[in-house]
Amino acid sequence: MSNPADYYEVLGVARDADAATLKKAFRQLAIQYHPDRNSAPDAEDRFKAINEAYAVLSDPEKRARYDRFGHEGLSGRAGPREADLRDVFGGDLFEQLFGGFARRATRPGARHGDDVRLPFPVTLEEVAAGGEKSVTFRRQATCATCDGSGAQAGHAPVTCDACGGMGRVRVQHGFLPMVTGCPRCRGEGRIVTHPCGTCRGNGLVQEEVTLKVPVPAGIGEGHTLRLDGEGGQGVRGGQPGDLYLIIQEAEHPFFERDGDHLVCEVPISFPQAALGSNISVPTLDGKARVKVPSGTQSGRVLRLRGKGLPNVEGRGRGDQLVRLQIETPVDLSPRQRELLEELESLSGDHPGQPRRKSFLDKLKELFD
Ligand SMILES: [Zn+2]
Ligand SMILES: [Zn+2]
């Protein structure tokens, strides 16, 4: 090998680094560059170099020779001893990185079920009331024909002889043993020779299910409901996935939501605004009568306390805000026109329009 990298540089430590510093640097780098965890193309080479550097520098005798003679001082290379590595990483991490056949919590070939994510439309009425709502969707389910084994009846899967059913094989990675998924059975530990016709051997089929989902009162756009284990089924003992329902608020013909408040706009006529009146407004509980005070200006907001939405965390209920919009009459009948003209002709004597008066006064000041 030409010009091998300096071991101290490889580990990023000073030449007088003590054993603890070496160990710490090695541990960090080995975790960072482990090829199973780092997909960069040079990760494997870096990983090997890190191991090689540590093998030498962690051995006082080899380190002394390396310091005096450089790479030439070392004949033959060996990886760090397994006992040393266990010491550096602790048992569990050692198994992961250097792959003894750690006993795994799940069977070989076990796979988690897929999570399912769905938009979940709710109306403001449903948000207000809370309660249950049905959702129908498709998810993966265990194939009933083969009971999830993936094999035709009478043709049980055979244990993979390449990995002895472990699903993983030990390979030499540079000079360190590592464990990787068995290429023969693709990690399943077994080989299906005669695949089930219903699921084509993967043990899963699509099913349509309908679930009743609790909808918390006051929930809103963008919230997510999670139902543990209601996603797709796993295979060979793998856990099922979860169901995530992403709340989408349906548009309402009257209301816009502002947090826990509801806002609605109600058109009223000019005489209703001027004279005052009782009008009907929509609420989530049905129609309500609301008093419009005389002399109401367009845009005035009336507040109906407690007629909004319940707070999702149980902090009471919001209000309903009724914004009054005065609608100017159009397509006047001759009689309406007559009356309005008469009204306008009287406004000089009795303006009763404070904003207009102040506007006209300012205009006069500026230009007359
Ligand atoms: Zn099947
Ligand atoms: Zn195998």
Short mmCIF file of all heavy atoms in Angstrom, two decimals, residues 142-152 195-205, ligand 1:
data_model
loop_
_atom_site.label_atom_id
_atom_site.label_comp_id
_atom_site.label_asym_id
_atom_site.label_seq_id
_atom_site.Cartn_x
_atom_site.Cartn_y
_atom_site.Cartn_z
N THR A 142 -52.91 -9.87 7.01
CA THR A 142 -52.34 -11.20 6.86
C THR A 142 -53.17 -12.02 5.87
O THR A 142 -54.39 -12.06 5.96
CB THR A 142 -52.34 -11.90 8.23
OG1 THR A 142 -51.65 -11.06 9.15
CG2 THR A 142 -51.65 -13.26 8.15
N CYS A 143 -52.49 -12.66 4.93
CA CYS A 143 -53.17 -13.47 3.92
C CYS A 143 -53.82 -14.67 4.60
O CYS A 143 -53.16 -15.44 5.30
CB CYS A 143 -52.17 -13.93 2.87
SG CYS A 143 -52.85 -15.12 1.69
N ALA A 144 -55.14 -14.80 4.40
CA ALA A 144 -55.85 -15.89 5.07
C ALA A 144 -55.55 -17.24 4.43
O ALA A 144 -55.59 -18.28 5.10
CB ALA A 144 -57.36 -15.60 5.03
N THR A 145 -55.24 -17.22 3.13
CA THR A 145 -54.98 -18.50 2.44
C THR A 145 -53.79 -19.23 3.04
O THR A 145 -53.84 -20.44 3.29
CB THR A 145 -54.71 -18.23 0.94
OG1 THR A 145 -55.75 -17.41 0.43
CG2 THR A 145 -54.63 -19.54 0.15
N CYS A 146 -52.71 -18.50 3.28
CA CYS A 146 -51.48 -19.15 3.76
C CYS A 146 -51.20 -18.79 5.21
O CYS A 146 -50.15 -19.12 5.75
CB CYS A 146 -50.31 -18.75 2.89
SG CYS A 146 -49.96 -16.99 2.94
N ASP A 147 -52.14 -18.04 5.83
CA ASP A 147 -51.97 -17.59 7.20
C ASP A 147 -50.67 -16.78 7.36
O ASP A 147 -50.00 -16.84 8.39
CB ASP A 147 -51.96 -18.79 8.16
CG ASP A 147 -52.28 -18.36 9.58
OD1 ASP A 147 -52.87 -17.26 9.74
OD2 ASP A 147 -51.91 -19.09 10.51
N GLY A 148 -50.30 -16.07 6.30
CA GLY A 148 -49.15 -15.19 6.39
C GLY A 148 -47.81 -15.85 6.12
O GLY A 148 -46.77 -15.18 6.10
N SER A 149 -47.82 -17.16 5.90
CA SER A 149 -46.52 -17.83 5.69
C SER A 149 -45.98 -17.56 4.29
O SER A 149 -44.79 -17.65 4.03
CB SER A 149 -46.66 -19.34 5.89
OG SER A 149 -47.28 -19.93 4.75
N GLY A 150 -46.85 -17.23 3.35
CA GLY A 150 -46.42 -16.98 1.98
C GLY A 150 -46.27 -18.26 1.16
O GLY A 150 -45.97 -18.20 -0.03
N ALA A 151 -46.47 -19.41 1.80
CA ALA A 151 -46.24 -20.68 1.09
C ALA A 151 -47.57 -21.35 0.74
O ALA A 151 -48.55 -21.23 1.48
CB ALA A 151 -45.41 -21.62 1.96
N GLN A 152 -47.57 -22.05 -0.38
CA GLN A 152 -48.73 -22.86 -0.75
C GLN A 152 -48.95 -23.95 0.28
O GLN A 152 -47.99 -24.45 0.87
CB GLN A 152 -48.44 -23.55 -2.08
CG GLN A 152 -49.11 -22.93 -3.28
CD GLN A 152 -48.70 -23.66 -4.54
OE1 GLN A 152 -48.67 -24.89 -4.57
NE2 GLN A 152 -48.39 -22.89 -5.56
N PRO A 195 -44.80 -20.36 -3.82
CA PRO A 195 -45.49 -19.23 -3.21
C PRO A 195 -47.01 -19.37 -3.26
O PRO A 195 -47.56 -19.94 -4.20
CB PRO A 195 -45.07 -18.03 -4.07
CG PRO A 195 -44.01 -18.51 -4.99
CD PRO A 195 -44.05 -20.00 -5.03
N CYS A 196 -47.63 -18.87 -2.22
CA CYS A 196 -49.10 -18.84 -2.13
C CYS A 196 -49.66 -18.03 -3.29
O CYS A 196 -49.16 -16.94 -3.60
CB CYS A 196 -49.48 -18.19 -0.79
SG CYS A 196 -51.18 -17.64 -0.68
N GLY A 197 -50.69 -18.57 -3.94
CA GLY A 197 -51.26 -17.91 -5.10
C GLY A 197 -52.01 -16.63 -4.76
O GLY A 197 -52.09 -15.70 -5.55
N THR A 198 -52.53 -16.54 -3.54
CA THR A 198 -53.34 -15.38 -3.17
C THR A 198 -52.46 -14.15 -2.94
O THR A 198 -52.77 -13.07 -3.40
CB THR A 198 -54.14 -15.69 -1.89
OG1 THR A 198 -54.87 -16.89 -2.09
CG2 THR A 198 -55.10 -14.55 -1.56
N CYS A 199 -51.36 -14.32 -2.22
CA CYS A 199 -50.53 -13.17 -1.84
C CYS A 199 -49.20 -13.17 -2.59
O CYS A 199 -48.35 -12.34 -2.32
CB CYS A 199 -50.27 -13.18 -0.34
SG CYS A 199 -49.33 -14.62 0.21
N ARG A 200 -49.02 -14.08 -3.51
CA ARG A 200 -47.78 -14.23 -4.29
C ARG A 200 -46.56 -14.36 -3.39
O ARG A 200 -45.46 -13.92 -3.71
CB ARG A 200 -47.58 -13.06 -5.25
CG ARG A 200 -48.63 -13.02 -6.34
CD ARG A 200 -48.12 -12.22 -7.53
NE ARG A 200 -49.21 -11.68 -8.30
CZ ARG A 200 -49.83 -10.53 -8.01
NH1 ARG A 200 -49.42 -9.80 -7.00
NH2 ARG A 200 -50.83 -10.12 -8.74
N GLY A 201 -46.79 -14.93 -2.23
CA GLY A 201 -45.64 -15.29 -1.39
C GLY A 201 -45.26 -14.28 -0.33
O GLY A 201 -44.43 -14.55 0.52
N ASN A 202 -45.86 -13.07 -0.37
CA ASN A 202 -45.39 -12.13 0.66
C ASN A 202 -46.23 -12.16 1.94
O ASN A 202 -45.95 -11.44 2.89
CB ASN A 202 -45.20 -10.72 0.10
CG ASN A 202 -46.50 -9.98 -0.12
OD1 ASN A 202 -47.56 -10.45 0.30
ND2 ASN A 202 -46.42 -8.84 -0.77
N GLY A 203 -47.24 -13.01 1.97
CA GLY A 203 -47.96 -13.22 3.23
C GLY A 203 -49.00 -12.15 3.55
O GLY A 203 -49.66 -12.22 4.57
N LEU A 204 -49.12 -11.14 2.67
CA LEU A 204 -50.03 -10.04 2.96
C LEU A 204 -50.98 -9.79 1.79
O LEU A 204 -50.60 -9.98 0.63
CB LEU A 204 -49.24 -8.74 3.20
CG LEU A 204 -48.36 -8.69 4.45
CD1 LEU A 204 -47.48 -7.46 4.41
CD2 LEU A 204 -49.21 -8.71 5.71
N VAL A 205 -52.18 -9.39 2.10
CA VAL A 205 -53.12 -8.96 1.07
C VAL A 205 -53.70 -7.61 1.49
O VAL A 205 -53.56 -7.21 2.65
CB VAL A 205 -54.28 -9.98 0.89
CG1 VAL A 205 -53.78 -11.28 0.29
CG2 VAL A 205 -54.97 -10.25 2.23
ZN ZN B 1 -50.83 -16.14 1.06
#
